[in-house]
């Protein structure tokens, strides 16, 4: 058994241990094991991406939970996979083609698609390698890709069956068009940004010459496509004008004045220009009022032939020309500054154009009602719970989903049109001939499906659906979903709707929405701000375990994480603390001490057993309830404060010269802590386990920590005994000595004689001398005051340090007077409360007893302080 190195070499350990785990098949599910199944699916990262801090957080939490459940004895399955990311991936490859002086149109569809597959095969491994660096205990034998043939079959099945049921249809609708990417987007792929702009007031003359009407717009170029001006039907100002016609400037056309309740009579002049081809509200109004729809801006964001003299101009250039002409001809009534929201593509950043387009849509209202009911009835539970309100609002107001995209990369829509008679065929496979006329020429729809269409099927398609596989029966529904709240609608809601529609059951029982990771000052990370923290760089500098522990300990539900170097350094220090303590234990254990050696317990052991028992029960409960921050914090203090700072110091003599049983107890405690910490810091704990524990395990026990059990039910933790107050009293006495040295400005390393009246703690003399750096400790019932001593009061007694030549009498007097004032202030409300007969008679007996105990403690300390002051 080799001696542990002075420092943990995390770089070597990370590479080595992941390979060992894989070779041992430690992360593979065991469907035949007879264990209770527990499953979770990864939010599939895009194949285009590198691991960012959001990925690091969500996958750390996945791994903590999966390793925890595996240790608890579940058949734990974490399914990995990647997303084809339609728009993002196609953009990436198109940029490469542009750099080569070509484009996808020159290449042709088939060659372009093959080029993307080649790029995918080359780059997909990068994100998977990064997940391994993070320590993710996924079952790589079940790795999935959203364009895998099996998943494509699931997508086609849903499309075809939905079409036959009337839930999927094709038709002209107002959609958000990305002119840069040349594709339709769903409403969720739109981001809205406030910008300073102008509000232009335009004058439209009445055709009969009796006056004019003023309309306001932020997009004057669209006036070329106006087909009406609308007013509210109850607006008395314009009642007499409804039915009249206006001369539309610059066009030579006349348009009617119409009445519709969508108009807000309090906004502007109460008159609204109606452009059905270029605004969603106007489109709906146009359908209600049977208005013409004139498209003046095309899919290339240039003005169409219908724009007349402005045809061929870019839409923003056309705006300048239209405004100049309106002003020249006297139709520009007023211009004012105006802050308004514009819609941008979440992918390309381009200003979107609302256009009427022939697209495929999915009616999701029935599915949305099921998903809404699932949360209302508790079939799906959210943590934090407040997301349920947002869920209800969105699903209650849901619109039909535009599912088609004008992209090459993705799931091709399984629809074919007959080139002869125009008959539409929606089938699982390409038909050999037209079912209407028998013609052989069938043209497949060139569009692909929205990436989220396949992602919605992820929780059951990864298990082989639509085939009824044994894996599907065993692992669906999954146990929990962990994801960011920013994709609540993109992904979570769509998975819920799909699962309830196609499986008849929710896809997950619980959803934990993780935090967002921000910089140290709480700002959102962005390349432009230069505040991006790269997790790959962090893992290189601090180690993966330090990164994971930092993320976990700050992952409080409902709050964002402010990541800082100080936090990372603290976690690295924690890892070093555990390493050093483990090394000290190993150095003082010979090979005869094993986990089969019968442990012996004294007061320190009984105390630590109680701390570990209570602590691990609390950690278990916290993890079950997704309070990762609380579980991490509990383990931090259990290791740092209780095991390292207190117990190891108390047990040093036992480690050096104690009995085999005393040494075996220390080994047992370290083993339990390693098992509890493993889900959070897997590389560090596995390395320590190999060097200290593995060779000392009972025969037949798995030598890999990753496959050992959760220690909460370990028999040693059920041991009872000892005086539970002794170690806390020792800690109070130790703190008192350390405070006295600090208050008197004594060098922490300088050893001085110490005195105390707490004679029951005399067995801890050596520990006190070692930790507090004391020359000696004298236990006596006598008066400790002396002109050369600094004295302090604590519950049940006094302590003193001999400071001949070091003590400042004036400072000592001031310290005692300050303590006197503090105790009298604390006693004032306690005395008043206990003198209140109403409180004494009505309050619970335990509350009154607790208050009396607090008062008695302070009265006793006050008497000590007064006595010391009299002796000054």
């Amino acid at each position: 058994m080799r001696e542990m190195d002075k420092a943990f070499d995390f770089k070597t350990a990370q590479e080595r241990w992941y390979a060992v785990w894989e070779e041992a098949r430690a992360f593979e599910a065991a469907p035949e094991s007879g264990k209770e199944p527990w499953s979770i699916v990864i939010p599939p990262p895009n194949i285009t991406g590198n691991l960012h801090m959001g990925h690091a957080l969500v996958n750390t939490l996945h791994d903590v939970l999966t390793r925890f459940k595996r240790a608890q004895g579940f058949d734990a399955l974490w399914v990995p996979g990647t997303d084809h990311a339609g728009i993002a991936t196609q953009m990436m490859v198109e940029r490469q083609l542009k750099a080569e002086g070509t484009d996808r149109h020159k290449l042709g569809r088939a060659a372009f698609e093959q080029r993307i597959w080649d790029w995918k095969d080359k780059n997909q491994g990068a994100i998977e390698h990064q997940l391994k660096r993070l320590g993710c205990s996924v079952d790589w034998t079940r790795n999935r890709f959203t364009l895998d043939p099996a998943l494509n079959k699931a997508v086609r099945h849903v499309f075809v069956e939905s079409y036959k049921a009337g839930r999927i249809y094709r038709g002209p609708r107002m959609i958000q068009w990305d002119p840069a990417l040349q594709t339709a987007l769903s409403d969720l792929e739109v981001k809205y940004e406030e910008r300073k702009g102008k509000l232009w007031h335009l004058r439209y003359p009445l055709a009969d010459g009796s006056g004019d009407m003023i309309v306001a717009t932020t997009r004057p170029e669209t006036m070329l496509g106006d087909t009406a001006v609308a007013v509210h039907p109850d607006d008395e100002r314009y009642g007499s004008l409804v039915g009249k016609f206006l001369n539309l400037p610059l066009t030579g056309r006349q348009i009617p004045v119409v009445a519709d309740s969508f108009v807000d009579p309090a906004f502007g002049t109460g008159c609204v220009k109606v452009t059905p081809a270029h605004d969603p509200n106007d489109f709906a109004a146009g359908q209600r009022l049977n208005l013409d729809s004139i498209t003046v801006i095309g899919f290339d964001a240039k003005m169409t032939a219908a724009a007349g003299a402005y045809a061929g101009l870019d839409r923003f250039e056309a705006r300048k020309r239209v405004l100049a002409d309106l002003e020249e001809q006297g139709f520009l009534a007023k211009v004012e500054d105006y802050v308004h929201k514009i819609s941008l593509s979440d992918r390309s950043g381009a200003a979107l154009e609302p256009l009427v387009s022939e697209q495929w849509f999915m009616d999701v209202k029935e599915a949305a009602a099921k998903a809404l009911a699932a949360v209302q009835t508790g079939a799906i539970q959210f943590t934090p719970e407040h997301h349920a309100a947002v869920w209800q609002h969105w699903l209650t107001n849901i619109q039909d989903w535009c599912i088609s995209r004008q992209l090459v990369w993705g799931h091709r829509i399984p629809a074919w049109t007959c080139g002869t008679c125009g008959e539409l065929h929606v089938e699982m496979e390409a038909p050999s001939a037209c079912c209407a006329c028998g013609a052989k020429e069938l043209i497949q729809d060139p569009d692909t499906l929205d990436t989220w269409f396949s992602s919605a099927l992820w929780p059951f398609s990864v298990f082989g659906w639509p085939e009824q596989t044994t894996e599907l029966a065993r692992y669906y529904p999954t146990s929990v979903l962990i994801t960011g709240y920013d994709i609540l609608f993109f992904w979570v809601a769509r998975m819920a709707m799909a699962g309830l529609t196609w499986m008849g059951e929710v896809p997950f029982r619980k959803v934990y929405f993780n935090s967002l990771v921000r910089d140290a000052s709480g700002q959102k990370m962005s390349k432009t701000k230069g505040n991006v923290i790269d997790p790959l760089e962090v893992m290189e500098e601090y180690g993966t375990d330090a990164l994971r522990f930092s993320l976990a300990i700050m992952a409080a539900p409902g709050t964002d994480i402010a990541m800082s170097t100080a936090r990372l350094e603290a976690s690295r220090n924690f890892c070093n603390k555990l390493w050093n303590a483990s090394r000290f234990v190993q150095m003082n254990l010979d090979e005869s001490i094993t986990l089969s050696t019968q442990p012996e317990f004294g007061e320190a052991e009984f105390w630590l057993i109680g701390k570990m028992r209570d602590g691990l029960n609390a950690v278990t409960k916290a993890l079950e309830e997704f309070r990762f921050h609380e579980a991490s914090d509990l383990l931090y203090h259990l290791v740092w404060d209780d095991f390292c700072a207190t117990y190891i110091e108390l047990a040093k003599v036992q480690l050096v010269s104690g009995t085999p049983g005393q040494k075996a107890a220390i080994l047992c405690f370290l083993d339990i802590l390693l098992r509890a910490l493993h889900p959070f810091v897997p590389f560090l704990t596995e390395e320590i386990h190999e060097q200290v524990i593995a060779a000392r395990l009972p025969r037949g026990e798995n030598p890999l920590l990753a496959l050992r059990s959760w220690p909460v039910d370990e028999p040693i933790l059920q041991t009872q005994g000892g005086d539970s107050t002794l170690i806390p009293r020792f800690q109070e006495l130790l703190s008192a000595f350390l405070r006295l040295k600090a208050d008197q400005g004594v060098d922490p390393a300088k050893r001085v004689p110490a005195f105390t009246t707490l004679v029951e703690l005399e067995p801890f003399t050596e520990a006190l001398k070692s930790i507090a750096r004391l020359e000696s400790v004298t236990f006596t019932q006598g008066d400790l005051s002396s002109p050369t001593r600094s004295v302090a009061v604590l519950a049940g007694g006094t302590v003193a340090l001999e400071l001949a030549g070091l003590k400042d009498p004036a400072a000592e007097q001031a310290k005692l007077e300050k303590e006197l004032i503090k105790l009298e202030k604390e006693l004032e409300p306690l005395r008043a409360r206990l003198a209140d007969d109403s409180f004494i008679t009505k309050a619970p007996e335990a509350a009154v007893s607790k208050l009396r105990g607090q008062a008695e403690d302070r009265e006793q300390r006050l008497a000590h302080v007064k006595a010391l002051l009299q002796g000054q």
Side-chain angles (χ1 to χ4, degrees), residues 55 101 167 204 254 297 374 391 470 506 576 585 587 614 624 648 679 736 781 802 838:
H55 287 134
R167 289 195 295 267
Y204 288 4
Q254 290 190 344
I297 302 174
W391 178 271
T470 55
V506 295
N576 291 339
V585 171
M587 288 168 60
D614 295 344
E624 296 285 10
I648 288 289
Q781 292 286 13
E802 178 58 59
S838 175

mmCIF file of all heavy atoms in Angstrom, residues 55 101 167 204 254 297 374 391 470 506 576 585 587 614 624 648 679 736 781 802 838:
data_model
loop_
_atom_site.group_PDB
_atom_site.id
_atom_site.type_symbol
_atom_site.label_atom_id
_atom_site.label_comp_id
_atom_site.label_asym_id
_atom_site.label_seq_id
_atom_site.Cartn_x
_atom_site.Cartn_y
_atom_site.Cartn_z
ATOM 1 N N HIS A 55 -24.157 24.085 -18.744
ATOM 2 C CA HIS A 55 -24.022 22.636 -18.892
ATOM 3 C C HIS A 55 -23.371 22.039 -17.649
ATOM 4 O O HIS A 55 -23.782 20.986 -17.150
ATOM 5 C CB HIS A 55 -23.125 22.290 -20.086
ATOM 6 C CG HIS A 55 -23.747 22.520 -21.423
ATOM 7 N ND1 HIS A 55 -23.082 23.161 -22.441
ATOM 8 C CD2 HIS A 55 -24.960 22.200 -21.915
ATOM 9 C CE1 HIS A 55 -23.858 23.213 -23.507
ATOM 10 N NE2 HIS A 55 -25.008 22.645 -23.207
ATOM 11 N N GLY A 101 -15.820 29.878 -50.216
ATOM 12 C CA GLY A 101 -16.263 30.519 -51.451
ATOM 13 C C GLY A 101 -17.432 29.841 -52.116
ATOM 14 O O GLY A 101 -17.664 30.028 -53.316
ATOM 15 N N ARG A 167 -54.527 16.738 -36.109
ATOM 16 C CA ARG A 167 -53.801 17.637 -35.213
ATOM 17 C C ARG A 167 -52.653 18.353 -35.924
ATOM 18 O O ARG A 167 -52.157 19.374 -35.447
ATOM 19 C CB ARG A 167 -53.261 16.862 -34.004
ATOM 20 C CG ARG A 167 -54.333 16.406 -33.035
ATOM 21 C CD ARG A 167 -53.733 15.982 -31.710
ATOM 22 N NE ARG A 167 -52.895 14.810 -31.830
ATOM 23 C CZ ARG A 167 -53.301 13.546 -31.652
ATOM 24 N NH1 ARG A 167 -54.572 13.320 -31.361
ATOM 25 N NH2 ARG A 167 -52.468 12.536 -31.768
ATOM 26 N N TYR A 204 -53.887 60.283 -43.707
ATOM 27 C CA TYR A 204 -54.580 59.618 -44.815
ATOM 28 C C TYR A 204 -55.822 60.447 -45.157
ATOM 29 O O TYR A 204 -56.754 60.550 -44.337
ATOM 30 C CB TYR A 204 -55.023 58.207 -44.421
ATOM 31 C CG TYR A 204 -53.889 57.189 -44.290
ATOM 32 C CD1 TYR A 204 -52.557 57.537 -44.437
ATOM 33 C CD2 TYR A 204 -54.182 55.852 -44.029
ATOM 34 C CE1 TYR A 204 -51.539 56.604 -44.321
ATOM 35 C CE2 TYR A 204 -53.177 54.899 -43.914
ATOM 36 C CZ TYR A 204 -51.853 55.271 -44.051
ATOM 37 O OH TYR A 204 -50.859 54.350 -43.936
ATOM 38 N N GLN A 254 -57.457 53.106 -52.871
ATOM 39 C CA GLN A 254 -58.368 53.545 -51.827
ATOM 40 C C GLN A 254 -58.625 52.393 -50.860
ATOM 41 O O GLN A 254 -58.703 51.231 -51.266
ATOM 42 C CB GLN A 254 -59.703 54.025 -52.419
ATOM 43 C CG GLN A 254 -59.586 55.325 -53.186
ATOM 44 C CD GLN A 254 -60.949 55.900 -53.549
ATOM 45 O OE1 GLN A 254 -61.975 55.219 -53.489
ATOM 46 N NE2 GLN A 254 -60.956 57.184 -53.923
ATOM 47 N N ILE A 297 -43.470 43.140 -48.473
ATOM 48 C CA ILE A 297 -42.107 42.750 -48.100
ATOM 49 C C ILE A 297 -41.997 41.241 -48.301
ATOM 50 O O ILE A 297 -42.828 40.474 -47.797
ATOM 51 C CB ILE A 297 -41.788 43.115 -46.634
ATOM 52 C CG1 ILE A 297 -41.958 44.619 -46.408
ATOM 53 C CG2 ILE A 297 -40.363 42.683 -46.253
ATOM 54 C CD1 ILE A 297 -41.808 45.043 -44.961
ATOM 55 N N ALA A 374 -51.833 17.816 -15.339
ATOM 56 C CA ALA A 374 -50.807 16.987 -14.694
ATOM 57 C C ALA A 374 -50.122 17.729 -13.560
ATOM 58 O O ALA A 374 -49.828 17.143 -12.507
ATOM 59 C CB ALA A 374 -49.775 16.529 -15.727
ATOM 60 N N TRP A 391 -46.335 28.112 -15.925
ATOM 61 C CA TRP A 391 -46.808 26.957 -16.700
ATOM 62 C C TRP A 391 -48.289 27.112 -17.036
ATOM 63 O O TRP A 391 -48.707 26.911 -18.186
ATOM 64 C CB TRP A 391 -46.562 25.703 -15.843
ATOM 65 C CG TRP A 391 -46.983 24.372 -16.366
ATOM 66 C CD1 TRP A 391 -48.188 23.761 -16.203
ATOM 67 C CD2 TRP A 391 -46.173 23.424 -17.087
ATOM 68 N NE1 TRP A 391 -48.193 22.519 -16.764
ATOM 69 C CE2 TRP A 391 -46.965 22.285 -17.311
ATOM 70 C CE3 TRP A 391 -44.865 23.438 -17.545
ATOM 71 C CZ2 TRP A 391 -46.489 21.161 -17.990
ATOM 72 C CZ3 TRP A 391 -44.391 22.318 -18.223
ATOM 73 C CH2 TRP A 391 -45.193 21.209 -18.438
ATOM 74 N N THR A 470 -38.828 -3.647 -23.644
ATOM 75 C CA THR A 470 -38.755 -3.903 -22.200
ATOM 76 C C THR A 470 -38.156 -2.699 -21.472
ATOM 77 O O THR A 470 -38.534 -2.401 -20.342
ATOM 78 C CB THR A 470 -37.901 -5.156 -21.919
ATOM 79 O OG1 THR A 470 -36.611 -4.991 -22.535
ATOM 80 C CG2 THR A 470 -38.564 -6.399 -22.469
ATOM 81 N N VAL A 506 -47.342 10.804 -17.765
ATOM 82 C CA VAL A 506 -46.357 11.885 -17.716
ATOM 83 C C VAL A 506 -44.954 11.335 -18.001
ATOM 84 O O VAL A 506 -44.659 10.182 -17.677
ATOM 85 C CB VAL A 506 -46.363 12.589 -16.339
ATOM 86 C CG1 VAL A 506 -47.680 13.295 -16.100
ATOM 87 C CG2 VAL A 506 -46.057 11.608 -15.214
ATOM 88 N N ASN A 576 -8.500 19.846 -0.620
ATOM 89 C CA ASN A 576 -7.160 19.678 -0.040
ATOM 90 C C ASN A 576 -7.248 19.255 1.427
ATOM 91 O O ASN A 576 -6.442 18.442 1.899
ATOM 92 C CB ASN A 576 -6.352 20.972 -0.161
ATOM 93 C CG ASN A 576 -5.977 21.287 -1.597
ATOM 94 O OD1 ASN A 576 -5.966 20.395 -2.457
ATOM 95 N ND2 ASN A 576 -5.672 22.537 -1.881
ATOM 96 N N VAL A 585 -4.382 10.032 8.239
ATOM 97 C CA VAL A 585 -4.930 8.754 8.713
ATOM 98 C C VAL A 585 -4.133 7.598 8.130
ATOM 99 O O VAL A 585 -3.722 6.672 8.844
ATOM 100 C CB VAL A 585 -6.423 8.634 8.349
ATOM 101 C CG1 VAL A 585 -6.937 7.223 8.636
ATOM 102 C CG2 VAL A 585 -7.250 9.656 9.121
ATOM 103 N N MET A 587 -1.089 7.472 6.973
ATOM 104 C CA MET A 587 0.289 7.400 7.471
ATOM 105 C C MET A 587 0.379 6.738 8.842
ATOM 106 O O MET A 587 1.432 6.230 9.232
ATOM 107 C CB MET A 587 0.887 8.811 7.549
ATOM 108 C CG MET A 587 1.198 9.423 6.195
ATOM 109 S SD MET A 587 1.576 11.194 6.307
ATOM 110 C CE MET A 587 3.003 11.175 7.393
ATOM 111 N N ASP A 614 -26.827 12.180 12.406
ATOM 112 C CA ASP A 614 -27.769 13.282 12.150
ATOM 113 C C ASP A 614 -27.446 13.972 10.826
ATOM 114 O O ASP A 614 -28.351 14.308 10.047
ATOM 115 C CB ASP A 614 -27.716 14.302 13.285
ATOM 116 C CG ASP A 614 -28.197 13.726 14.613
ATOM 117 O OD1 ASP A 614 -28.837 12.662 14.603
ATOM 118 O OD2 ASP A 614 -27.907 14.335 15.658
ATOM 119 N N GLU A 624 -33.025 14.094 -1.546
ATOM 120 C CA GLU A 624 -34.340 13.619 -2.002
ATOM 121 C C GLU A 624 -35.235 14.789 -2.399
ATOM 122 O O GLU A 624 -36.110 14.653 -3.250
ATOM 123 C CB GLU A 624 -35.022 12.802 -0.901
ATOM 124 C CG GLU A 624 -34.307 11.522 -0.510
ATOM 125 C CD GLU A 624 -34.454 10.389 -1.524
ATOM 126 O OE1 GLU A 624 -34.959 10.654 -2.633
ATOM 127 O OE2 GLU A 624 -34.039 9.259 -1.218
ATOM 128 N N ILE A 648 -10.183 14.614 14.361
ATOM 129 C CA ILE A 648 -8.801 14.196 14.057
ATOM 130 C C ILE A 648 -7.836 14.734 15.115
ATOM 131 O O ILE A 648 -6.913 14.041 15.558
ATOM 132 C CB ILE A 648 -8.381 14.677 12.650
ATOM 133 C CG1 ILE A 648 -9.104 13.857 11.569
ATOM 134 C CG2 ILE A 648 -6.871 14.561 12.464
ATOM 135 C CD1 ILE A 648 -8.638 12.421 11.447
ATOM 136 N N PRO A 679 -20.751 11.335 -4.525
ATOM 137 C CA PRO A 679 -21.571 11.942 -5.581
ATOM 138 C C PRO A 679 -21.166 13.373 -5.941
ATOM 139 O O PRO A 679 -21.389 13.815 -7.069
ATOM 140 C CB PRO A 679 -22.988 11.909 -4.987
ATOM 141 C CG PRO A 679 -22.953 10.773 -4.026
ATOM 142 C CD PRO A 679 -21.577 10.830 -3.416
ATOM 143 N N ALA A 736 -12.781 29.528 23.549
ATOM 144 C CA ALA A 736 -12.510 30.561 24.551
ATOM 145 C C ALA A 736 -11.013 30.851 24.644
ATOM 146 O O ALA A 736 -10.592 32.010 24.713
ATOM 147 C CB ALA A 736 -13.062 30.126 25.906
ATOM 148 N N GLN A 781 -10.640 24.334 40.606
ATOM 149 C CA GLN A 781 -11.924 24.918 40.998
ATOM 150 C C GLN A 781 -11.740 26.290 41.623
ATOM 151 O O GLN A 781 -12.704 26.956 41.977
ATOM 152 C CB GLN A 781 -12.620 23.992 42.034
ATOM 153 C CG GLN A 781 -13.075 22.658 41.469
ATOM 154 C CD GLN A 781 -14.307 22.784 40.584
ATOM 155 O OE1 GLN A 781 -14.694 23.876 40.186
ATOM 156 N NE2 GLN A 781 -14.916 21.654 40.256
ATOM 157 N N GLU A 802 -2.134 32.856 31.282
ATOM 158 C CA GLU A 802 -1.055 33.537 32.000
ATOM 159 C C GLU A 802 -0.281 34.372 30.987
ATOM 160 O O GLU A 802 0.330 33.840 30.062
ATOM 161 C CB GLU A 802 -0.132 32.511 32.665
ATOM 162 C CG GLU A 802 1.040 33.138 33.399
ATOM 163 C CD GLU A 802 0.587 34.111 34.491
ATOM 164 O OE1 GLU A 802 -0.154 33.687 35.419
ATOM 165 O OE2 GLU A 802 0.961 35.297 34.391
ATOM 166 N N SER A 838 -48.746 36.308 31.941
ATOM 167 C CA SER A 838 -49.535 35.857 30.788
ATOM 168 C C SER A 838 -48.708 34.905 29.920
ATOM 169 O O SER A 838 -49.195 33.862 29.466
ATOM 170 C CB SER A 838 -49.987 37.062 29.962
ATOM 171 O OG SER A 838 -50.638 36.632 28.788
#
